[in-house]
Amino acid sequence: MGAYLLEWLSLFFRWFHVIAGVAWIGASFYFVWLDLSLRKPPQWKTDKGISGDLWAVHGGGFYEIAKYKLEPEEMPKTLHWFKWEAYTTWLTGAAMMSIVYYANATAYLIDPSKVPFTSIGAIATSLLFLFGSYFIYEVIVRSHLGKNAFIFSTLIFILLVIASWGSYQLFSDRASFIHIGAILGTVMVGNVFFGIMPAQRALVDCVRRGEKPGKEVAELALQAKNRSLMNNYFTLPLIFTMISNHYPMMYAHEKGWLVLVFVGIITATARHYFNQKHLGHKKPRYLVIPAVLTVLLIIWMRPEPIEPLPAMPATASVAPTTTDSTPTATSATTGSNTDTVANANNSSNSNATNSANNRISTDAATAKVIPVSASADDAMMDVVHTRCSTCHAVQPTQQGFAAPPAGIILQTPEDLKIHKAKIVTAVQTGYMPLGNITQLTDAERQKLVAYASSL
């Protein structure tokens, strides 16, 4: 019952997380585009304190958008703040993290081959990893290093590379990607809460009091600008990590942390191209570089070709020869031997009779040949039942699973044949078993991939 309720909670928070994330990312993209697309206004607007304007058409109407250098002529009665998109995304993401990775830590968070955590130990390490990383970020952004955009960005990139490597030493492959995504999301929402919003409040307070913003407000604004820039470049890597659980070939790669670094560079560079484009600078090299890196990543990550398992006939042992001339009644060979006996008994030649009886004895021994080793099907199904069917059964026995993942049931060779394409991909990439909770060995993994490929 507990697993069933967790499934519903996961569904509920996943959808809220997606909706909030789309709203936040959409607003972020819109305002970045808006800021970079503003053009010099006519003089009469400049005289009113407007630094840039933009005309747009959408939904059958024209829109006029203006940005003030500092404050408007009159403070509007209704002022829209863009913050809850960010807060809701983080809160629903934290709920998802708790439901999926903490409530089912043994299945999703822990990889015993890396660190044999207890559930409590893994959760505590996860929280320390996440908030420790964010604390380091805050120290840097609030220091004098945070005032230089280039140095600040370079330091954060180096720290994220270290975090990517570190997460792979501690957690399951799938959880490693999610942890980097959680760090990015926490940094982004922290930028909103601790940097961008305080700067905006300080500016609005000055305008309401009719005061000119001083040095303190200017410093807050500069810090907010750098934080906003960081959020801008984090957006695409964050989206990738949010959906990464659908791509086991990425996170289950033996150098998955390095794959994540490459993806971060590719997506951030593509984001830089669009930033430059909105400024009116056409620099196609910032699209060519990610394209080339993507091709190189595909080549580097290509899996080894699968060799189908050769046919494995059952082996047999020969029973010791016996002087008993009575054949086994249930053997087809025995039936043939019985005819031989009848023909021999009809002969008056005693030597022929003795010869026939000798043949009977030998054939009877052959009739008692029985298989003593399991067939390939039986051997592989033993592996499947031990390593896979605990989750992929009509009634899963693995704790935390109320139903078979993705509705896939693996209990017979016919089941394996139906789902063989998914099995080959999931097992070959290391995606299954989740966190290798059932301890599928490398040898078993190779044999299972070869067997499924040959079905």
Side-chain angles (χ1 to χ4, degrees), residues 58 153 192 238 346 352 431 446:
H58 181 74
S153 301
V192 174
L238 176 65
N346 289 333
Y431 174 49
Q446 293 171 5

Side-chain angles (χ1 to χ4, degrees), residues 3-84:
Y4 176 72
L5 291 176
L6 284 177
E7 287 286 342
W8 273 103
L9 286 172
S10 176
L11 175 65
F12 177 80
F13 282 108
R14 186 182 300 276
W15 274 103
F16 267 83
H17 183 59
V18 169
I19 293 169
V22 168
W24 184 18
I25 293 169
S28 174
F29 278 7
Y30 173 72
F31 276 101
V32 168
W33 170 82
L34 182 60
D35 263 344
L36 298 177
S37 300
L38 292 171
R39 296 295 179 260
K40 184 178 179 180
Q43 187 59 44
W44 68 269
K45 286 188 176 181
T46 303
D47 295 340
K48 295 176 65 174
I50 295 175
S51 62
D53 69 352
L54 172 72
W55 284 85
V57 60
H58 181 74
F62 290 94
Y63 293 80
E64 181 185 10
I65 303 162
K67 180 180 180 180
Y68 285 81
K69 290 180 182 178
L70 192 58
E71 74 276 359
E73 298 170 293
E74 182 180 345
M75 196 67 182
K77 293 181 180 178
T78 302
L79 187 63
H80 294 281
W81 296 74
F82 290 83
K83 56 181 180 178
W84 283 108

Side-chain angles (χ1 to χ4, degrees), residues 120 129-130 144 225 291 296 309 329 376 389 394 396 409 430:
I120 297 298
F129 186 79
L130 292 177
H144 68 280
K225 180 182 177 182
L296 293 176
L309 197 66
S389 298
V394 177
I409 296 173

